[in-house]
């Protein structure tokens, strides 16, 4: 099969969070199975150019219709750890992707509406006709809309779209301008509730809703979250739309790329290890303590890695720092916040705790350091308010770092409580789960983990080793996506 992925991120070259990991990991898996995979991405000025091999200008004459005129683009081609990627660079005053950031601009909707249009124009003008276009999140929600309403009539009638939603919170809500810009010309037609009109704001268009309505298959990133999105408020207002389109909507649990996230071969950690020589992990713990100037000695290290925002349960992350210290553990945090209030809060905490030898808060994005933390910590917390899939608990498991998670979204599909899970036999349980969002609930799970570490270290290590043996690779999800591709290719 010939598959083109259109996305705003691809790790490690463009990574703001889990979306990048998934786009890269899935592409690799599909290619290993003999499919042809190409990626189309924006050419941001701030991406990690050191991860691109052989970058060259492959297509100099892409003209993208925009507001009745056109924007001239160059398309660069290069290999990101073996994957063929096309990077679109528009030449216009707006400098859409030369902003020193991936997201967070006032005109993000326009930037990614343009990118979606440019990606389709690139396919059209370069005569690429993939069997499947796989696009992701709100940034590319307009791809299936434009494919069906415009490009289908210009020779792209056989292309089918799989649309994956990684986060329902951000949907791309915009006004009529996007229609004018992209050439979706009949305002009244698109402003209908069965098309792009937002379910709650009658004056707005919703890119993600458009993606759901117009795609041939829609997925989210775990079976449990697919259910939650349809039936609870975590669908952020799109539950009804998902319900109407339930026949083509499903949840496919993400995988982890074990070529990149694997303590056996990880080149960012000083001591490689497997579940057979678990003692090596302890040397990584020492290295982590040295690197972050933590007091050396025998205390469990509890870690948090992730974006710092409401989704991730920041109030509980904050509480975990002090609770860990009270319980005689060390705490390491690696995270970044885009919201100024949350950023200021953690900056303040960092200063306040600066001289404490048992805690380190690293505020910023640091891929290399994240590997050492996964390898060196004993436990990793994921106390999210909602979590479509969650990658950090799955990476933690692979590194023998026991997850302590809230029972929501994909966390329910991946972590099974050591003491209480009724559906999984004791020898297969791999972590700790709590359900309520209050501090007491979280403390009870943390306490069980910390107490086991202090009182029965051997048992704690057994628990970690069980986690390492779980297979959360792309093997199973790769098969599931290929089944979906096959289904939409033949059904429509
Ligand atoms: N400061 C930092 N420095 C270095 N690395 C950092 C970092 N902050 C985060 N990371 C890394 O980014 C990834 C984050 O994974 P998450 O599952 O938390 O994704 P996120 O919530 O962004 O994305 C959404 O998409 C993913 C993928 O579908 C879903 O798993 C998830 O539930 C959904 O919210 C991990 O690889 C983590 O190590």
């Amino acid at each position: 099969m010939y598959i083109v992925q259109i996305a705003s991120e691809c790790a490690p070259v463009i990574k703001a969070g889990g979306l990048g990991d998934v786009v890269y990991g899935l592409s690799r898996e599909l290619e290993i199975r003999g499919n042809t995979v190409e990626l189309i991405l924006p050419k941001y000025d701030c991406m990690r150019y050191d991860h691109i091999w052989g970058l060259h200008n492959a297509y100099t004459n892409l003209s993208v219709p925009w507001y009745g005129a056109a924007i001239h683009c160059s398309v660069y081609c290069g290999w990101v750890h073996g994957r063929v990627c096309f990077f679109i660079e528009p030449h216009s005053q707006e400098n859409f992707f030369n902003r020193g950031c991936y997201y967070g601009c006032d005109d993000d909707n326009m930037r990614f509406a343009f990118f979606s249009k440019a990606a389709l124009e690139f396919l059209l003008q370069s005569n690429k006709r993939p069997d499947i276009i796989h696009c992701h999140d709100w940034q590319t929600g307009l791809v299936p809309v434009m494919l069906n309403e415009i490009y289908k009539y210009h020779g792209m009638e056989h292309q089918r779209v799989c649309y994956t939603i990684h986060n329902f919170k951000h949907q791309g809500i915009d006004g009529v301008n996007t229609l004018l810009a992209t050439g979706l010309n009949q305002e009244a037609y698109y402003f209908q509730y069965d098309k792009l009109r937002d379910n709650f704001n009658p004056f707005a268009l919703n890119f993600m809703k458009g993606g759901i309505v117009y795609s041939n298959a829609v997925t989210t990133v775990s079976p449990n979250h697919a259910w939650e999105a349809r039936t609870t408020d975590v669908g952020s207002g799109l539950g009804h739309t998902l319900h109407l389109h339930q026949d083509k909507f499903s949840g496919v649990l993400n995988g982890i790329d074990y070529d990149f996230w694997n303590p056996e071969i990880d080149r960012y950690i000083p001591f490689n290890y497997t579940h057979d020589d678990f003692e090596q992990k302890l040397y990584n713990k020492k290295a982590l303590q040295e690197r972050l100037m933590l007091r050396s000695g025998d205390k469990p290290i509890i870690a948090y890695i992730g974006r710092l925002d409401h989704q991730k349960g920041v109030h509980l992350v904050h509480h975990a720092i002090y609770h860990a210290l009270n319980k005689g553990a060390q705490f390491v945090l690696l995270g970044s916040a885009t919201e100024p209030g949350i950023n200021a809060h953690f900056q303040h905490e960092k200063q306040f705790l600066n001289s404490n030898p048992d805690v380190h808060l690293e505020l910023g994005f640091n891929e290399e350091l994240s590997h050492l933390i996964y390898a060196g910590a004993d436990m990793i917390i994921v106390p999210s308010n909602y979590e479509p899939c969650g990658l950090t608990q799955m990476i933690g498991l692979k590194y023998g770092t026991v997850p302590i998670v809230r029972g929501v979204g994909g966390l329910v599909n991946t972590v099974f409580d050591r003491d209480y899970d009724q559906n999984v036999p004791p020898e297969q349980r791999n972590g700790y789960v709590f359900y309520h969002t209050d501090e007491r609930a979280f403390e009870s799970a943390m306490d069980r983990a910390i107490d086991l570490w202090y009182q029965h270290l051997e048992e704690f290590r057994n628990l970690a080793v069980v986690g390492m043996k779980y297979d959360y690779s792309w093997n199973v999800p790769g098969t599931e996506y290929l089944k979906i591709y096959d289904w939409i290719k033949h059904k429509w």
Side-chain angles (χ1 to χ4, degrees), residues 15-19 21-22 166-167 221 254 261 305-307 311-312 334-336 364-367 370 374 387-392 395:
K15 173 167 166 176
L19 170 63
D21 288 303
V22 170
H166 300 257
N167 197 334
V221 289
N254 282 333
W261 294 112
I305 300 175
R307 293 180 294 104
Q311 169 189 349
K312 301 294 180 183
L334 171 61
S336 53
F365 194 93
N366 188 332
E367 182 78 54
S370 74
Y374 285 117
E387 195 60 78
C389 175
L391 302 180
T392 59
I395 302 172

Side-chain angles (χ1 to χ4, degrees), residues 50-66:
D50 56 326
H51 284 289
I52 312 175
W53 186 83
L55 189 66
H56 61 282
N57 200 336
Y59 204 86
T60 47
N61 246 343
L62 182 70
S63 170
V64 180
W66 193 244

